Amino acid sequence: MSEGITVLKEPYSGEEQQRQAAMMGMYIFLSSEVMLFGGIFTVAAIMHMTHAADFVKASKAMHYWIGGINTAVLLTSSLFVALGVEAAKLGSRSTRGWLGAAAGLGVVFLGFKAYEYSVEFSEGLLPVPGVHSHFETPTQHLFMNLYLIATGLHAFHLTVGIVLMTTLALRAGTKGIGLPQRAIVVVAGGLYWHIVDIVWVFLYPVMYLAR
Amino acid sequence: MRLGNPIVLIWMVLMIFLAATVGASFLLTGALGAVVGLGIAIGKSAFIYWRYMHLGEERGLPRVAALGAFAWLAILLMFVTVEMLTRSQ
């Protein structure tokens, strides 16, 4: 164990018990995120069932290829986080690189998302207050409202994840975390990143690929 | 980064699933298309949860904590769907 790193804390009787408690707490927090986005998916399901034809028409107006590229970007970022966690457990110096690369891909995702928003804005499809929009049907208006809320909320979560991964990468580099003894810190951060990825995994077929 | 690393292999599977998601959206329409698209998304999530999110390394209670929300969400979606489909005009 590195000097100055206190691993075991009250009230835990052992490191394994402490690790399990950290994992349990993180899983419960992530479950609250699942319920948060679950509400949005429920609204999408109701819209799809109520106005099937118009819902599909609105989905076809989306730029599915941008969403597809962004899905690949996020899945690859999850690979980098998983490799970073693996490196952190071994106390490897490559932890910093993997986590930094994941944060970088998060920025790439946001870049593509911003470009996509700009295209939709120029097409009059982005429901921004004070801007003249032209939707073909009321359902498309509702669909784009839901799309903006869902993707905006997801982008906010991803931004938090980017800050988290950047912080972890910097602290891993300066030995501020204390790896590998406190790898659980990187593991917990990684769990958050992956749940943000999973939310997008569902948003993509629901919003972009309804046919 | 070794190609034989299970973490990398899972990423490859996820990318194949992504291609399958896009491909299926061109081939399948209606309820079947939605079911297949969501089914592939569930498959992707299962891989991510099991390996990247360490569910495979955990025991009973943490697994329940991790997956409980999906059970509640499934109940919500089931009741909403039943209500929508049995609505009288």
Side-chain angles (χ1 to χ4, degrees), chain A residues 93-124:
Chain A
R93 292 162 62 94
S94 62
T95 305
R96 184 180 195 174
W98 290 124
L99 299 183
L105 283 183
V107 173
V108 169
F109 179 97
L110 291 180
F112 275 114
K113 196 74 223 149
Y115 169 71
E116 188 181 7
Y117 280 151
S118 73
V119 171
E120 287 154 358
F121 181 81
S122 64
E123 292 171 343

Side-chain angles (χ1 to χ4, degrees), chain A residues 2 16 19 24 31 33 61 81 83 101 104 124 131 135-136 138 145 163 167 174 196 199-200 210:
Chain A
S2 304
E16 176 56 20
R19 188 199 68 79
M24 181 93 163
S31 289
E33 295 282 7
V81 168
L83 290 169
V131 175
F135 302 106
E136 288 186 30
N145 283 341
V163 172
T167 306
T174 59
V196 174
V199 167
W200 185 262

Side-chain angles (χ1 to χ4, degrees), chain A residues 38-63:
Chain A
I40 289 173
F41 285 112
T42 305
V43 173
I46 292 170
M47 274 180 65
H48 200 156
M49 283 185 281
T50 314
H51 310 284
D54 285 345
F55 188 93
V56 167
K57 196 173 179 182
S59 179
K60 281 182 175 174
M62 305 296 296
H63 301 279

Side-chain angles (χ1 to χ4, degrees), chain A residues 19-20 27 31 50 202 211, chain B residues 30 45 53 58-59 65 84:
Chain A
R19 188 199 68 79
Q20 282 186 3
Y27 283 140
S31 289
T50 314
F202 281 93
R211 297 292 182 267
Chain B
S45 304
M53 296 178 76
E58 298 298 327
R59 282 179 282 181
M84 294 297 299

Side-chain angles (χ1 to χ4, degrees), chain A residues 16 19-20 23-24 27-28 30-32 34-35 37-39 41-42 45-46 48-50 64 68-69 71-73 75-80 82-83 85-86 89 98 187 190-192 194-195 197-198 201-202 204-206 209 211, chain B residues 1 5-8 11 14-15 18 21-22 25-26 28-31 33-34 37-38 40-42 44-45 48-49 51-55 57-59 61-70 72-73 76-77 80-81 84-85 87:
Chain A
E16 176 56 20
R19 188 199 68 79
Q20 282 186 3
M23 293 296 284
M24 181 93 163
Y27 283 140
I28 290 172
L30 297 181
S31 289
S32 74
V34 169
M35 293 310 290
F37 281 97
F41 285 112
T42 305
I46 292 170
H48 200 156
M49 283 185 281
T50 314
Y64 76 89
I69 291 170
T71 309
V73 168
L75 291 175
T76 307
S77 75
S78 265
L79 166 69
F80 288 172
L83 290 169
V85 167
E86 194 176 58
K89 285 179 176 176
W98 290 124
V187 172
L191 289 178
Y192 177 83
H194 294 310
I195 202 75
D197 186 7
I198 285 177
V201 159
F202 281 93
Y204 183 51
V206 168
L209 299 177
R211 297 292 182 267
Chain B
M1 184 169 70
N5 186 335
I7 292 174
V8 179
W11 172 76
L14 292 172
M15 297 306 275
L18 170 59
T21 304
V22 177
S25 74
F26 284 103
L28 306 170
T29 58
L38 288 175
I40 295 172
I42 290 169
K44 278 187 211 163
S45 304
I48 293 171
Y49 255 94
R51 182 68 200 218
Y52 288 1
M53 296 178 76
H54 314 286
L55 213 57
E57 302 161 27
E58 298 298 327
R59 282 179 282 181
L61 198 55
R63 286 182 183 172
V64 171
L67 300 176
F70 290 98
W72 307 136
L73 196 56
L76 172 70
L77 285 169
V80 165
T81 305
M84 294 297 299
L85 296 178
R87 234 179 235 190

